[in-house]
Amino acid sequence: MHRQLCVIIACIFIISIFAGCSVFQKIGDNDEVSPASSIALSEAEARQIADKSPVSLYFANEEGTKLKLEIRYVPMDELKKPVEEIASLIVRELINGPSKGSTLKPTIPEGTKLRSVKISGDVATVDFSKEFKENHPGGKAAEQLTIYSVVNSLTELKEISQVKFKIEGKTSKEFKGAFKFDNAFPRSTSLISKETTNLAKPDTSEESKKDKSETEKDNKGDKDAKETMSDQDSTDEIEVFEEHEYSPVSEIIDVDGEEGKTTFYFEDEPIEEELLE
């Protein structure tokens, strides 16, 4: 009898263990599993962005062919103000130009002042001083980057989807000759480079520049080796390779001959724009 009682107690104990494991397993199955992400900041960098919020600004890249996103931190209280004041803050930051140590180029002409930003519906009207037009170097590419650096920066705000421009309170029919300037400009994502410049850690050291140069050489070597077609009856060699889909040049064909090299460029799809006829 005592032996049977011990067996019964042992069975109950085993069943309890299995039941407990099952309950814990169900609890674990209900837990949400999400990827963890973190950004490593030094103590100085953490103090720098404390009580601040990020805004998105677009400046020209080193080549002057694309707009590149720069994240800048502004006092958090500034972003609690009415949307017109936030838009004015963004434009003033564009006028200030890229951050110190950045490789990006300014898009707003020197001496330009912001007169006002007014928002009606989802259209923001930015009124610049005369220097915005008078001090601009002109040219289709430069005009395009200047216009859309403002447009793309302001349309980061959910309240704005288009931007109009005024000079000294007046609407101009054209900017510097390549673009009509009296219409509203929508956002243009085709001008935006995928790379992002983060102000938290500007890298300007000589060692980093050297490493970057070596990496570019390695990438170029790998790219040139992608596909080579040789003609058995000729010493000419044709190399074909594809660039990234967001690059301004999608395909390059180099023909190496005895008398030199010829390069043909095939441009990406045209950017939607309204040129001055």
Side-chain angles (χ1 to χ4, degrees):
M1 182 67 180
H2 180 71
R3 184 177 181 181
Q4 291 179 347
L5 182 60
C6 291
V7 172
I8 293 172
I9 293 174
C11 291
I12 293 173
F13 180 71
I14 294 173
I15 293 172
S16 299
I17 292 175
F18 280 107
C21 291
S22 177
V23 170
F24 284 117
Q25 184 177 5
K26 289 181 179 178
I27 294 175
D29 291 341
N30 290 332
D31 291 341
E32 292 185 359
V33 179
S34 58
S37 60
S38 62
I39 300 176
L41 295 176
S42 67
E43 185 177 349
E45 291 168 343
R47 286 198 302 267
Q48 183 181 359
I49 65 173
D51 300 325
K52 293 185 178 182
S53 295
V55 293
S56 299
L57 305 174
Y58 290 92
F59 296 102
N61 61 5
E62 294 180 81
E63 297 78 16
T65 56
K66 288 278 187 179
L67 291 173
K68 197 170 181 180
L69 174 64
E70 179 179 285
I71 304 299
R72 184 168 299 178
Y73 290 90
V74 299
M76 192 177 298
D77 292 339
E78 294 290 335
L79 300 185
K80 296 179 181 179
K81 295 180 178 181
V83 64
E84 287 185 350
E85 294 188 34
I86 298 175
S88 298
L89 169 67
I90 290 174
V91 176
R92 285 195 294 269
E93 292 295 335
L94 287 174
I95 292 175
N96 291 337
S99 63
K100 185 177 181 181
S102 172
T103 59
L104 302 183
K105 295 182 178 180
T107 55
I108 308 298
E110 186 176 356
T112 299
K113 297 178 179 62
L114 175 65
R115 300 181 78 247
S116 67
V117 176
K118 302 295 182 182
I119 298 177
S120 178
D122 63 347
V123 179
T125 301
V126 183
D127 189 2
F128 284 111
S129 63
K130 60 183 181 180
E131 288 81 7
F132 182 72
K133 184 175 182 179
E134 291 180 354
N135 295 348
H136 198 281
K140 179 182 174 183
E143 289 183 46
Q144 188 177 58
L145 293 179
T146 295
I147 291 171
Y148 283 101
S149 69
V150 178
V151 173
N152 287 0
S153 296
L154 288 179
T155 52
E156 287 284 340
L157 301 176
K158 62 181 181 180
E159 296 87 352
I160 301 174
S161 62
Q162 297 183 81
V163 177
K164 296 182 71 175
F165 293 89
K166 286 185 177 182
I167 306 294
E168 297 290 343
K170 298 179 180 180
T171 301
S172 301
K173 290 185 178 181
E174 62 181 71
F175 185 26
K176 294 289 289 186
F179 285 86
K180 292 182 178 180
F181 208 51
D182 55 357
N183 58 296
F185 292 88
R187 184 178 182 85
S188 175
T189 56
S190 59
L191 273 174
I192 300 174
S193 170
K194 288 194 70 177
E195 298 179 1
T196 302
T197 299
N198 194 333
L199 297 186
K201 288 186 176 183
D203 190 358
T204 57
S205 66
E206 292 298 327
E207 183 178 355
S208 298
K209 292 180 180 179
K210 182 178 179 181
D211 292 341
K212 182 178 178 182
S213 177
E214 292 177 354
T215 302
E216 289 177 351
K217 289 180 180 179
D218 292 341
N219 291 339
K220 184 177 180 181
D222 293 340
K223 191 181 297 180
D224 292 343
K226 276 188 176 180
E227 184 178 352
T228 303
M229 298 179 295
S230 299
D231 190 348
Q232 296 180 354
D233 299 330
S234 173
T235 58
D236 291 344
E237 185 173 89
I238 301 178
E239 298 177 5
V240 180
F241 54 90
E242 294 184 354
E243 293 283 351
H244 193 280
E245 61 179 341
Y246 290 93
S247 173
V249 180
S250 61
E251 186 178 12
I252 303 176
I253 299 179
D254 292 338
V255 181
D256 292 319
E258 296 180 355
E259 299 182 355
K261 175 184 287 188
T262 304
T263 303
F264 300 90
Y265 296 87
F266 296 85
E267 298 291 340
D268 275 339
E269 57 183 4
I271 298 171
E272 294 182 3
E273 58 191 24
E274 188 171 5
L275 296 177
L276 180 65
E277 295 180 355

